[in-house]
Amino acid sequence: MTKYRNVVITGGISIMNKNNQFGNYFLDYNSKNCKFENAEEIFQNILKEKELTDKKIKELVLEKPHNVSAEFSMLKGLENEGLLDDFISVSIIHSETVEGKFSALMNKKIIESTYGAEVSLKNVSDVDVSDPVKMNSSLGYFMKVVTEELLKGSKETTFFAPVGGYKYMTYLGYVAGSLFGCHSGYMYENAQKLLIIPPIPVEINFSSIIKNMGFIKRLLNEKMIESDSLNEEEQQLVDEVPYFFEKLYSDQKLLIAANAFAQFIFKDCTEGSLKINEDVKKKINKYPSDKILFMYKFLICSGK
């Protein structure tokens, strides 16, 4: 049986729920008077003031392990199913808010003390839904962060758990997880029932994208391009791979923009020309079912 060594979690704030073991420890702080930049210092002060020592934390976890957090419940569910390796690394991707940071820090302490795991925290900024261009860029960055954490391990031993955070973290996170063939999971907290979701096969026409890389670079640089200005080949690309493009209307004009998916895959290559090295070609020919993984993991940029 394959066991998971790399667990990537989108973190929420369920640990701060007053019905959970640690929620009451954060009830009397005012998040409005806290800044994200000082969140870790404030968090450490709370632990000290509340005498929330490592020993006390372990006692509270052992007392009611099902009332800790969604993140902890997910790991506990994997452990109960015999799916966790002896040593695991955990990445918690959280929102750039005081509550998000506090929750991630508290989960980090709990997971490290319970599993002896190596835990890293990654924050992503809020999404400005009023600005489509900024929104696409923010969502693209989020997918990039998820991808970087997923690719720290092999797809067979990596588990993605979009259990908390903003709704888009679940939706886009699952897309990123499926793209690289990673299993995802959801925990029904009340019943403590673990649901493992297999990745959906994703096929991307990379040859068409690479062929039109000049257009992709221009689109990412200019943010939006009028549809009427596209040549025949560019319009054909937009029609053939619509999952990369966003269509917006402004002043009765149809505009084309790179959506979050395109932003996350091609952002790093806008300053150079894209090419595939021979090692990648050999791997793709040998393992065609994993060509997306190889294309993303080994695509290199030149001319920077």
Side-chain angles (χ1 to χ4, degrees):
M1 178 189 297
T2 300
K3 295 190 176 184
Y4 299 112
R5 293 195 296 269
N6 180 37
V7 182
V8 181
I9 303 174
T10 61
I13 59 174
S14 67
I15 199 167
M16 300 180 73
N17 187 316
K18 64 180 181 180
N19 294 321
N20 284 338
Q21 288 292 76
F22 297 91
N24 289 324
Y25 288 89
F26 298 93
L27 286 180
D28 56 358
Y29 91 95
N30 189 344
S31 63
K32 294 181 179 179
N33 296 328
C34 302
K35 292 184 178 180
F36 179 79
E37 295 76 13
N38 301 325
E40 187 161 1
E41 179 183 351
I42 297 170
F43 173 77
Q44 295 298 334
N45 289 335
I46 291 174
L47 295 186
K48 186 176 181 180
E49 291 172 6
K50 303 291 185 179
E51 298 182 347
L52 201 52
T53 62
D54 290 346
K55 180 181 179 181
K56 181 64 175 178
I57 290 172
K58 290 180 181 179
E59 289 175 354
L60 289 170
V61 171
L62 287 173
E63 184 182 317
K64 292 184 179 180
H66 299 330
N67 292 92
V68 175
S69 70
E71 294 83 354
F72 183 79
S73 289
M74 174 59 71
L75 290 174
K76 195 68 176 174
L78 290 170
E79 179 188 24
N80 291 341
E81 295 291 331
L83 296 175
L84 279 187
D85 200 9
D86 293 335
F87 177 78
I88 59 172
S89 62
V90 178
S91 301
I92 301 177
I93 304 171
H94 62 90
S95 61
E96 200 172 69
T97 62
V98 175
E99 292 89 347
K101 184 71 171 182
F102 280 2
S103 299
L105 287 167
M106 193 70 246
N107 274 307
K108 182 176 187 291
K109 286 189 69 68
I110 292 168
I111 294 169
E112 285 176 340
S113 63
T114 303
Y115 293 102
E118 180 182 285
V119 182
S120 61
L121 305 183
K122 300 289 182 180
N123 64 278
V124 291
S125 60
D126 195 2
V127 174
D128 184 359
V129 296
S130 65
D131 188 324
V133 175
K134 288 183 180 179
M135 181 176 69
N136 276 343
S137 180
S138 297
L139 295 178
Y141 176 73
F142 165 71
M143 294 184 76
K144 183 175 184 294
V145 171
V146 171
T147 299
E148 288 172 348
E149 298 308 301
L150 291 175
L151 293 181
K152 285 182 177 180
S154 67
K155 70 176 184 179
E156 291 82 9
T157 58
T158 295
F159 189 83
F160 180 56
V163 298
Y166 297 116
K167 297 300 182 184
Y168 74 81
M169 295 171 105
T170 301
Y171 173 70
L172 291 178
Y174 180 66
V175 172
S178 287
L179 183 64
F180 298 105
C182 298
H183 282 80
S184 299
Y186 180 80
M187 171 65 72
Y188 291 100
E189 286 189 78
N190 291 337
Q192 292 294 298
K193 175 64 177 178
L194 176 66
L195 174 65
I196 295 181
I197 308 169
I200 295 175
V202 178
E203 181 73 18
I204 293 179
N205 188 348
F206 273 107
S207 60
S208 294
I209 296 298
I210 294 171
K211 182 180 178 182
N212 290 278
M213 187 50 62
F215 167 58
I216 293 294
K217 288 165 57 180
R218 181 164 66 92
L219 186 60
L220 292 178
N221 288 331
E222 297 181 19
K223 308 302 182 184
M224 289 186 289
I225 297 177
E226 288 189 24
S227 179
D228 291 343
S229 69
L230 303 183
N231 61 37
E232 184 177 346
E233 192 173 60
E234 293 167 346
Q235 185 60 59
Q236 182 178 354
L237 177 67
V238 172
D239 294 336
E240 285 183 354
V241 287
Y243 43 76
F244 278 122
F245 303 101
E246 187 87 13
K247 294 184 178 181
L248 310 166
Y249 284 93
S250 178
D251 297 329
Q252 297 184 335
K253 293 181 180 179
L254 177 59
L255 305 174
I256 304 297
N259 63 16
F261 203 19
Q263 294 270 351
F264 122 82
I265 288 183
F266 298 108
K267 190 69 174 178
D268 291 338
C269 299
T270 56
E271 297 179 3
S273 59
L274 197 62
K275 65 180 182 179
I276 309 174
N277 61 32
E278 290 302 317
D279 182 53
V280 176
K281 290 180 180 178
K282 291 178 182 178
K283 284 182 167 63
I284 291 174
N285 290 333
K286 187 175 181 179
Y287 305 102
S289 63
D290 285 340
K291 70 177 182 179
I292 291 177
L293 174 63
F294 292 131
M295 287 288 284
Y296 189 83
K297 207 168 184 179
F298 299 103
L299 279 176
I300 58 174
C301 298
S302 64
K304 290 188 176 182

